[in-house]
Amino acid sequence: MAVAAFKGLFNGECCGNKRMERSPSGRRRVFVQTETGCVLGIELDRSDNAHTVKRKLQVALNIPIEERSLVYGDVVLKNDLSTVRNDSPLLLTKNFMHRSSSTPCLSPTGKDIQQRDQSGPIEILVCSNNFSRTKKLVKEIVKAMKIGIDPLPVCGGLGGAYYFRNCQGENCAIVKPTDEEPYAPNNPKGFVGKSLGQPGLKRSVRVGETGFREVAAYLLDYDNFANVPSTALVKVTHSIFNVNDGVNGNKQQEQKEVSKIASLQQFIPHDFDASDHGTSSFPVSSVHRIGILDIRILNTDRHAGNLLVRKIDGDGGLSQVELVPIDHGLCLPENLEDPYFEWIHWPQASIPFSEDELEYISHLDPFRDSEMLRMELPMIREACLRVLVVCTIFLKTAAVFGLCLAEIGEMMSREFQGQEEEPSELEFICIEARRLLEERNMLSDNVKAGESKFQFEIDCEEEVDLTSNVEKKLASHAHCRPLGGNIRNPLSKLDENAEEWTDDEENVIPPRSDEHAFVAQDRAPTVPRLSMSMKNVSIGEKSWRHEGAMQKSGYLAGTSSGNRSVNEQLPGSTSFVKLADMSEEEWARYLEIFHNLLYPTFSNRKSGSVGQRQRQRLGTSCQF
């Protein structure tokens, strides 16, 4: 069964989405970023290939190009550059990455390369009609820069960020360079030690790739349903940006203009964030809409600090407020992760969806969403898109069965037993779907080897019996879940940190999407409620876990007293599910099985669900 055939299950129109045509022919401009963050704009000729582009970088920036690859998302570019779109960002990365000190990211010397670039102070990358609002914003900022109104650094947070201002000196945008993210080479807060493309704060979100996730969340927020501020990926040139001189010091280079790839998001004036006030005043619709987006994109960092609150009533009271979700850099991981949904504990999340919300959900099309993101953000990895597809299918089916936001969030959140994580109910379903897929593949191989049609029919009947067992397994799993589902601390407190790349520094090959984040181990994780047959499936990965890792003084508080190495880390969480290692044909069969498993799962939950008892317990206390 092809993916196209499975798409028929989700043939609703995608709100506000227009398919763009790829036009790789003719002269194109690309922005190549080195692993230390330095960016150069290059005009491509028809005769250009990966080698000629690397040679241009070598001449312009005086950097080595041996044993380095030119990467475009998941694709390692070679002779053919026809797939590269105009204004696309490329990454020059080492074939063998080390944990050694990073080299300084210096501006081009000699003749002024910035003039050769022929680009303005701010360039929107992979620009389309979706960024019309951002184009106006960029014009305001550039006009202010010309009259001497410079950006201001943001003091808070773990990564580098800057307020860009308009001609009135008001903050109008926040810019986050990709090479100043936590653990990136030019992080100004002291959290350094990795190259772009290595695992970051989340092992399924690589260093330097949170920016395009911010843009993806905005693009997926059709009709501004969840109120995500306009966001775009840009190339910005300014002297305010941070450049580290190695990892043992944090010395700023002479103030000279440097170009960086960054996310640019409209700054939203607000009164406070959700952590500063009781949540009972928040509109039910706002909580629902943000929750719908968070579920679709598997947001692993939705805490109160990244929910802005604006007063919209005239008397200055809190009778009417508006929620604005920001900071989506840790969404769309490459594997299923344990999400963090702050709203899961709020009473609004236990109120059923409205008719408008159900209609919006019904029109979501994860396959069309994936096509849109491939066009708008060609650097996005297929693994991220598969997570989007699984989570959207899960949301759509749950909504059809009448589950509320809190119930869906609980089913996606993991439970902790002692020091061990157990798979969430969503992950449990994915594990079962993978097991059934492997059984189906084995059956198919046996048929091809010459088994009789009669024997194949018997085996298929046995497979149906195995599938039906998942209802009982999930039932016991669901009834043992605590109220609230998610009991860990938010990522803002750094409970989960980046992992070591490897102990073998001399033989490290940067993983691609088809290799990363899911390796079968000799020992499966301790999951008491999983059957033994489930444990035999490759569901365990603890190779990222640091045994005996200790919390460093001041680290959790986000202080920057000196440079923090990636050796100073806490244990990473377990990965139970990988989606990227399946072929297209296997992926389509997997989705079919996954979708079929959802029906007994949701039916069981509605017949005697935790969510129903929870709503009964809340009773009339949910008054707004």
Side-chain angles (χ1 to χ4, degrees):
M1 176 180 179
V3 174
F6 185 79
K7 291 179 184 179
L9 293 169
F10 303 93
N11 56 3
E13 294 184 4
C14 195
C15 314
N17 179 28
K18 295 181 180 179
R19 183 181 179 87
M20 300 188 310
E21 297 299 327
R22 190 183 300 269
S23 55
S25 60
R27 290 182 62 85
R28 287 159 288 148
R29 178 180 57 175
V30 296
F31 296 100
V32 185
Q33 184 178 39
T34 69
E35 61 191 5
T36 55
C38 197
V39 179
L40 182 69
I42 296 178
E43 293 285 340
L44 294 183
D45 296 323
R46 291 180 181 275
S47 59
D48 274 325
N49 55 36
H51 178 71
T52 60
V53 171
K54 289 191 289 184
R55 283 288 297 160
K56 290 178 181 179
L57 281 172
Q58 184 180 39
V59 172
L61 303 180
N62 192 25
I63 58 174
I65 60 173
E66 294 78 15
E67 295 186 348
R68 281 168 169 77
S69 297
L70 200 62
V71 179
Y72 185 49
D74 282 328
V75 180
V76 178
L77 298 172
K78 295 182 180 180
N79 291 328
D80 184 15
L81 301 182
S82 62
T83 59
V84 178
R85 292 183 55 205
N86 187 47
D87 286 339
S88 292
L90 310 179
L91 177 64
L92 182 72
T93 182
K94 290 180 183 177
N95 295 338
F96 296 91
M97 290 185 176
H98 305 277
R99 271 192 314 234
S100 58
S101 299
S102 59
T103 56
C105 172
L106 304 177
S107 292
T109 58
K111 295 184 179 179
D112 190 357
I113 301 301
Q114 300 297 335
Q115 291 182 6
R116 290 190 205 173
D117 194 337
Q118 298 297 317
S119 60
I122 304 179
E123 295 279 333
I124 301 178
L125 306 186
V126 198
C127 190
S128 77
N129 293 331
N130 287 296
F131 303 111
S132 57
R133 190 182 308 174
T134 306
K135 293 176 186 176
K136 296 178 181 178
L137 193 61
V138 166
K139 288 181 180 179
E140 292 182 31
I141 296 171
V142 172
K143 188 176 179 180
M145 291 168 61
K146 288 180 179 178
I147 63 175
I149 299 179
D150 292 325
L152 300 173
V154 178
C155 296
L158 300 176
Y162 304 87
Y163 292 125
F164 277 65
R165 301 184 285 173
N166 58 23
C167 292
Q168 289 72 44
E170 302 167 332
N171 295 339
C172 62
I174 183 168
V175 171
K176 301 177 184 178
T178 58
D179 68 323
E180 297 187 25
E181 295 177 8
Y183 298 134
N186 292 311
N187 179 274
K189 310 291 176 64
F191 296 96
V192 295
K194 290 193 173 186
S195 298
L196 301 180
Q198 289 186 302
L201 282 171
K202 292 279 185 178
R203 68 176 164 275
S204 290
V205 178
R206 308 188 195 203
V207 175
E209 297 188 2
T210 63
F212 73 72
R213 287 175 165 85
E214 297 254 22
V215 181
Y218 168 67
L219 292 172
L220 290 169
D221 186 25
Y222 298 119
D223 299 330
N224 207 222
F225 187 74
N227 209 21
V228 178
S230 58
T231 313
L233 200 64
V234 297
K235 191 204 95 171
V236 190
T237 303
H238 203 278
S239 59
I240 195 174
F241 294 131
N242 185 69
V243 176
N244 288 331
D245 183 14
V247 295
N248 295 320
N250 198 20
K251 300 176 182 177
Q252 189 94 351
Q253 296 289 325
E254 276 183 32
Q255 289 294 319
K256 60 173 69 175
E257 289 191 344
V258 292
S259 295
K260 299 202 174 188
I261 291 176
S263 64
L264 183 148
Q265 185 172 83
Q266 179 187 6
F267 176 79
I268 303 297
H270 55 283
D271 298 286
F272 42 80
D273 63 48
S275 65
D276 297 328
H277 193 269
T279 62
S280 61
S281 63
F282 298 159
V284 175
S285 61
S286 293
V287 175
H288 282 191
R289 291 177 175 218
I290 291 170
I292 289 169
L293 176 68
D294 286 342
I295 287 171
R296 291 171 62 201
I297 63 179
L298 192 63
N299 195 345
T300 64
D301 190 30
R302 173 61 74 211
H303 57 83
N306 55 39
L307 281 174
L308 307 182
V309 183
R310 300 176 63 187
K311 301 175 186 177
I312 57 177
D313 56 354
D315 57 7
L318 292 174
S319 58
Q320 289 188 345
V321 297
E322 177 185 55
L323 297 182
V324 180
I326 60 171
D327 292 344
H328 297 99
L330 294 178
C331 71
L332 294 177
E334 293 182 34
N335 297 314
L336 287 185
E337 291 269 2
D338 186 25
Y340 183 77
F341 300 141
E342 179 79 20
W343 42 257
I344 203 171
H345 309 288
W346 298 353
Q348 295 93 327
S350 294
I351 295 178
F353 290 123
S354 68
E355 290 300 321
D356 289 345
E357 292 158 357
L358 290 173
E359 183 178 2
Y360 183 90
I361 294 172
S362 70
H363 284 93
L364 294 174
D365 184 339
F367 303 103
R368 197 172 296 178
D369 289 346
S370 299
E371 285 300 314
M372 180 272 292
L373 290 179
R374 288 188 189 101
M375 297 303 298
E376 296 283 7
L377 300 170
M379 74 294 295
I380 197 167
R381 300 177 186 274
E382 286 298 313
C384 307
L385 299 179
R386 289 187 174 184
V387 169
L388 172 67
V389 169
V390 164
C391 292
T392 305
I393 292 174
F394 188 77
L395 168 66
K396 288 172 68 72
T397 311
V400 169
F401 275 85
L403 272 68
C404 66
L405 189 61
E407 291 174 309
I408 301 171
E410 287 170 9
M411 294 182 72
M412 298 177 72
S413 302
R414 293 178 184 173
E415 180 182 351
F416 284 73
Q417 293 291 333
Q419 298 299 316
E420 297 288 342
E421 286 182 315
E422 293 194 3
S424 67
E425 292 175 64
L426 170 60
E427 289 173 307
F428 193 96
I429 297 167
C430 290
I431 293 168
E432 184 75 356
R434 187 60 176 266
R435 182 182 68 83
L436 294 175
L437 174 66
E438 292 177 358
E439 287 189 357
R440 181 180 291 187
N441 289 340
M442 292 178 61
L443 290 171
S444 178
D445 291 341
N446 289 338
V447 170
K448 291 179 181 178
E451 287 193 9
S452 67
K453 180 178 179 181
F454 176 75
Q455 181 63 42
F456 174 72
E457 291 174 348
I458 294 177
D459 290 338
C460 286
E461 290 174 0
E462 292 175 354
E463 179 185 326
V464 172
D465 293 337
L466 288 168
T467 306
S468 65
N469 290 335
V470 76
E471 181 177 351
K472 297 178 181 178
K473 297 176 185 176
L474 286 168
S476 62
H477 187 77
H479 283 291
C480 293
R481 297 187 63 78
L483 179 65
N486 196 330
I487 58 175
R488 69 178 179 89
N489 292 328
L491 182 67
S492 57
K493 299 181 181 178
L494 278 182
D495 276 25
E496 179 175 353
N497 291 269
E499 319 73 12
E500 288 286 0
W501 187 242
T502 183
D503 291 330
D504 186 0
E505 295 187 357
E506 300 300 322
N507 297 282
V508 183
I509 300 177
R512 307 308 305 159
S513 63
D514 57 347
E515 305 169 347
H516 179 57
F518 186 89
V519 181
Q521 302 297 311
D522 294 333
R523 179 174 65 90
T526 303
V527 186
R529 284 191 289 274
L530 292 179
S531 66
M532 290 306 298
S533 63
M534 296 291 290
K535 288 186 179 182
N536 291 331
V537 183
S538 300
I539 61 172
E541 180 196 333
K542 294 193 177 181
S543 60
W544 298 100
R545 188 183 289 268
H546 261 282
E547 299 297 335
M550 301 297 292
Q551 297 184 12
K552 301 295 181 179
S553 176
Y555 184 62
L556 291 182
T559 60
S560 56
S561 55
N563 290 289
R564 304 280 179 181
S565 167
V566 291
N567 294 323
E568 303 181 17
Q569 299 169 42
L570 300 178
S573 63
T574 306
S575 284
F576 296 106
V577 175
K578 179 185 178 184
L579 303 173
D581 61 341
M582 288 177 274
S583 67
E584 283 296 316
E585 185 178 355
E586 289 176 324
W587 171 236
R589 291 201 298 267
Y590 175 87
L591 287 178
E592 183 183 13
I593 296 171
F594 171 76
H595 189 258
N596 290 337
L597 289 177
L598 293 180
Y599 285 89
T601 303
F602 292 135
S603 296
N604 173 271
R605 189 168 184 102
K606 291 307 294 182
S607 63
S609 69
V610 174
Q612 282 182 330
R613 295 197 305 272
Q614 178 181 343
R615 287 200 299 277
Q616 291 170 1
R617 192 160 50 244
L618 287 168
T620 59
S621 63
C622 300
Q623 299 295 326
F624 301 92

